[in-house]
Amino acid sequence: MRIILDGMGGDNAPLEIVKGAVEASKLIEDEIIIVGLEEDINAELAKYSYDDDKISVVHASEIIENEDAPVRAVRTKKDSSMVVGINMVKNGEGDLFISAGNTGALMAGSLFNLGRIQGIDRPALGSVYPILGDKACLLVDAGANSECKPDNLLEFAMMGSIYMEKVIGRPSPKVGLVNLGVEENKGSTLTKAAFELLDKSHMNFIGNVEAREVPMGACDVIVCDGFVGNVILKLTEGLAINIMNLLKEKFTDGTKAKLGAMLLMDKIKGLKSEFDYTEYGGAPILGVKGPVVKMHGSSNANAVKNTILKGIPYAKENVVGTISDAVFDIEEILTEEE
Amino acid sequence: MRIILDGMGGDNAPLEIVKGAVEASKLIEDEIIIVGLEEDINAELAKYSYDDDKISVVHASEIIENEDAPVRAVRTKKDSSMVVGINMVKNGEGDLFISAGNTGALMAGSLFNLGRIQGIDRPALGSVYPILGDKACLLVDAGANSECKPDNLLEFAMMGSIYMEKVIGRPSPKVGLVNLGVEENKGSTLTKAAFELLDKSHMNFIGNVEAREVPMGACDVIVCDGFVGNVILKLTEGLAINIMNLLKEKFTDGTKAKLGAMLLMDKIKGLKSEFDYTEYGGAPILGVKGPVVKMHGSSNANAVKNTILKGIPYAKENVVGTISDAVFDIEEILTEEE
């Protein structure tokens, strides 16, 4: 398998990207192709010893920046590492594309260049959601589609379910719909209609889930529109940072507190890792005709390594083909509905 | 002033409601009228010594339960403590109504019996949002309106702003719109249009706020539709509980940890109170023709006492009248828009 890596995307590119690729390469048989400014990437590669049968570089002269307007960027920067990388998957020169770059551009580029899987109306971004003290779950949509129809939520559930089963290895994943209450008749026009569709599906749909239950690990696949998904992810991040800062403040307030904190140090350290979801890999773009994974913009070498290792099943387990087949189930539910 | 208290609403009624009323009564000059099953309430009152010029009971034979369908309940249970209490405000027999009962019924009852303030399309529920290590803010709408138009968000901002200034005493409150990004052109059709309206208002509108910034105290009034508001409140609650449980688990894991936790005990205790927003009072229903406040269903006597004390300015500062006057500003913005 050939993994295409965007050498220029993210805050720490190409330094941490290249370092992560070298680390991952030591653990896998697959080939890694880093796309970007050849000179810069080779300069980084020169720092390490690696098997040059397994790591190679493809030159791309442009870089899509985080500030670039997504659609415009992928349309105009044709020789950017991102567009070149996506096209390599399209042309069969690669099996998986991973980037820490501009999320909107990655979404737009995947959509324009790879195209949607037939029958999928709205490709989505899946994001691993950390569950404290338990196994993480997948949130779909994590922010790609701020306005959705009920059919879209059904698609998100199906794609998330397949990804969770095939890539994360969670059998018969529990699918929950984010809603105002657990009762069937609760919610907005969108969630009420989506509930009906999900209820007819063959998925392991457990019904409505209140936002309160999400961090408790109520389900394996959290389904919601991209606006709500963004709120859930960002609020979780903000609260976690906030609580950690508050703890730090309280635990350094006076000698007694400092002594107590010292005794608890190993436990507190463990706490931070509970929020670290990089062990589950990056965020998959679901519903396009090729496996594309988004890494966090601030990914360090370790996160890059993990994303590569955990991303491999997205291609090897033929998730794209499985989604493509499952479209028929969705179409049946929607036809019944009409 | 006469404060009307729903004696039968909430998980701990009438016991904690009556106890809280007696405690509040010792601190204020105002009269408290407890509505509900006379016999039960008098039995509770008999446990305490109180000034019977300041606490009285009005009988109501029915109780609206949490499980009752809101609209049906207020339509059929005309002699419930909730409906009788709301009508006392309507008829000038009381100046403020406070209930820990069924939120939907309280909303519906206020809407049907008091009516909307002229020019307000959608009354909303405001909820105090705890900011760790800083002053709380007000979230509007907290779940009453799961689908909204841009005009509604403008109304929510205006009503929340007035409440925050007059009742909580925050001068020139900063208003923020929950959105996917801080840039002006970000978001859904709803938030983009709401941004334009808010930007034209005389409020202290600071622009879009990402969910990540909400717990950091980015603004004093958080504006969003009721679906998103519910997600923000419930997710915060769930995460806080989850993190507290995890801390408890880690801090009791082994002798060393237990010793450390003992030294930190006073700091940890303080932490829990950071999430305690009862000191700011209950959740106001905004946009109806009379001050109505919702208390948490599980309110204990202390929460009841606080809600009474903090609720008084909702009536005394003439918030309803101020909202009524401010409607003209909103109408001007909307007329310009057309």
Side-chain angles (χ1 to χ4, degrees), chain A residues 132 147 178 180 189 210 212 215 227 230 234 237 241-243 246 250 253 256-257 263-264 267 271, chain B residues 132 147 178 180 189 210 212 215 227 230 234 237 241-243 246 253 256-257 263-264 267 271:
Chain A
L132 295 186
E147 267 142 311
V178 179
L180 297 179
T189 318
E210 283 194 272
R212 191 180 184 281
F227 196 99
N230 178 281
K234 297 279 180 70
E237 195 185 339
I241 293 172
N242 216 6
I243 292 176
L246 191 73
K250 299 234 180 238
D253 180 19
K256 201 174 117 195
L263 290 165
L264 281 163
K267 306 288 171 194
L271 198 66
Chain B
L132 296 185
E147 267 143 309
V178 179
L180 298 179
T189 318
E210 283 194 273
R212 191 180 185 282
F227 196 99
N230 179 281
K234 297 279 179 71
E237 195 185 340
I241 293 173
N242 214 8
I243 292 175
L246 191 73
D253 180 19
K256 201 174 116 195
L263 291 166
L264 281 163
K267 305 290 170 192
L271 198 64

Side-chain angles (χ1 to χ4, degrees), chain A residues 256-276:
Chain A
K256 201 174 117 195
K258 278 181 193 164
L259 187 63
M262 227 165 68
L263 290 165
L264 281 163
M265 194 45 84
D266 51 332
K267 306 288 171 194
I268 297 171
K269 269 188 181 157
L271 198 66
K272 215 178 163 186
S273 77
E274 298 271 348
F275 286 107
D276 180 21

Side-chain angles (χ1 to χ4, degrees), chain A residues 264 267, chain B residues 245-259 261 265:
Chain A
L264 281 163
K267 306 288 171 194
Chain B
N245 286 345
L246 191 73
L247 281 181
K248 207 172 160 185
E249 195 185 287
K250 299 232 179 238
F251 288 9
T252 52
D253 180 19
T255 318
K256 201 174 116 195
K258 278 181 193 163
L259 186 64
M265 193 47 82

